[in-house]
């Protein structure tokens, strides 16, 4: 599993790891390589970075809102229940006046029927589990927000770096080949490795294709 896929999965948004193929097909397979993303890369992968961020927020917020509503409903039902303090209550039908041995009633399968809290501990368990899920969703939203902010910050920092400088120079050497953006990005990664992140003078651009081919053959 690539570092980028692991990073996408760590964001906590269901299904987002499927975008890993889009990243990797454009040469971004490590967390370090993400700093070289350009606007065009994000436009290709996400259609719009801002729109993607908004969609992520909306998606997680909808889940949080749904969980909050469900938790409020469960707590409301729990507040209406009674606690058995005295008297004989059948453990089968949850009605008073007899016990399980001589019960002729139907088994009580819901707290909404008998209204007895201590006969249905599953309600308390559901409340606890829903609260944990809500806390996790809130944490995931904050994690996703921080990850996306870091993602966009890395994009901004990429201005003026090796890739930003060399991309148009490499494209000029073979405009037809590099109409394919994926080919351009892959060759840029080879060039980055061959030149060790050092931008050469433009007078040496003639040797860039040779450096790329040499790096591919290694």
């Amino acid at each position: 599993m690539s570092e980028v896929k692991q990073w996408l999965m760590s964001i906590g948004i269901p299904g987002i790891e499927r975008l890993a193929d889009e990243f990797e097909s454009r040469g971004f397979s490590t967390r370090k390589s993400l700093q070289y993303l350009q606007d065009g890369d994000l436009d290709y992968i996400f259609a719009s970075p801002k729109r993607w961020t908004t969609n992520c927020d909306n998606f997680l917020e909808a889940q949080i809102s749904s969980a909050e509503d469900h938790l409020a409903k469960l707590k409301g039902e729990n507040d209406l229940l009674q606690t058995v303090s005295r008297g004989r209550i059948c453990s089968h039908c949850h009605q008073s006046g007899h016990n399980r041995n001589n019960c002729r009633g139907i088994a009580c399968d819901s707290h909404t029927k008998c209204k007895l809290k201590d006969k249905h501990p599953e309600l308390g368990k559901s409340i606890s589990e829903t609260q944990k899920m809500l806390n996790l969703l809130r944490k995931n939203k904050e994690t996703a927000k921080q990850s996306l902010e870091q993602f966009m910050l890395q994009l901004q920092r990429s201005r003026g770096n090796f890739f930003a400088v060399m991309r148009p120079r490499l494209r000029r050497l073979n405009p037809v080949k590099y109409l394919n953006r994926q080919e351009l990005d892959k060759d840029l990664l080879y060039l980055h490795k061959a030149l060790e992140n050092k931008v050469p003078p433009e007078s040496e651009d003639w040797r860039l294709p040779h450096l790329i081919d040499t790096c591919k053959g290694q």
Side-chain angles (χ1 to χ4, degrees):
M1 182 184 299
S2 70
E3 293 180 15
V4 168
K5 188 169 185 177
Q6 291 177 334
W7 170 73
L8 288 170
M9 292 178 67
S10 71
I11 292 177
I13 302 175
I16 194 176
E17 68 275 6
R18 289 177 293 181
L19 291 173
D21 291 340
E22 296 290 353
F23 280 92
E24 293 170 10
S25 69
R26 301 177 67 76
F28 303 108
S29 59
T30 65
R31 291 178 70 94
K32 186 176 180 180
S33 68
L34 295 176
Q35 64 182 302
Y36 303 120
L37 282 164
Q38 301 294 311
D39 285 334
D41 299 309
L42 291 179
D43 289 342
Y44 179 85
I45 295 170
F46 295 130
S48 169
K50 291 182 179 179
R51 188 187 312 152
W52 173 251
T53 303
T54 300
N55 288 343
C56 288
D57 286 342
N58 290 343
F59 178 79
L60 289 171
E61 190 59 47
Q63 292 190 74
I64 291 172
S65 178
S66 177
E68 288 175 338
D69 290 344
H70 184 60
L71 181 61
K73 177 177 178 293
L74 292 178
K75 287 184 175 181
E77 292 177 359
N78 188 63
D79 291 341
L80 295 175
L81 299 184
Q82 303 173 11
T83 300
V84 179
S85 58
R86 61 182 179 178
R88 188 170 58 177
I89 300 295
C90 176
S91 61
H92 181 68
C93 69
H94 298 171
Q95 299 299 315
S96 61
H98 63 277
N99 57 36
R100 185 184 185 91
N101 294 331
N102 55 18
C103 179
R104 297 182 180 180
I106 300 174
C108 181
D109 58 3
S110 173
H111 61 275
T112 60
K113 294 180 180 179
C114 67
K115 306 295 184 182
L116 297 176
K117 183 180 298 185
D118 50 354
K119 292 298 182 180
H120 291 279
E122 67 272 12
L123 178 59
K125 183 178 179 181
S126 294
I127 291 175
S128 178
E129 290 177 347
T130 303
Q131 183 66 65
K132 289 180 181 178
M133 179 58 67
L134 180 58
N135 292 340
L136 179 61
L137 288 171
R138 287 169 174 165
K139 182 179 179 180
N140 285 347
K141 181 184 178 183
E142 185 60 29
T143 300
K145 179 180 178 181
Q146 292 175 357
S147 296
L148 288 169
E149 287 177 349
Q150 182 181 15
F151 189 80
M152 298 306 296
L153 181 61
Q154 289 173 332
L155 172 64
Q156 294 172 359
R157 288 176 176 173
S158 71
R159 306 304 183 199
N161 65 18
F162 178 91
F163 283 71
V165 173
M166 296 305 298
R167 180 174 281 108
R169 287 169 57 176
L170 185 58
R171 183 184 286 115
R172 284 197 298 268
L173 293 177
N174 196 334
V176 176
K177 175 183 178 181
Y178 294 131
L179 284 174
N180 185 324
R181 180 61 184 271
Q182 292 185 22
E183 288 295 323
L184 176 61
D185 288 345
K186 288 179 181 179
D187 283 358
L188 276 170
L189 289 174
Y190 285 122
L191 199 59
H192 177 262
K193 180 179 179 181
L195 293 172
E196 298 179 342
N197 199 33
K198 297 177 182 178
V199 177
E202 290 192 42
S203 60
E204 296 182 13
D205 281 3
W206 60 270
R207 68 188 187 97
L208 299 184
H210 174 70
L211 291 174
I212 292 170
D213 290 338
T214 300
C215 192
K216 286 181 178 179
Q218 293 178 349

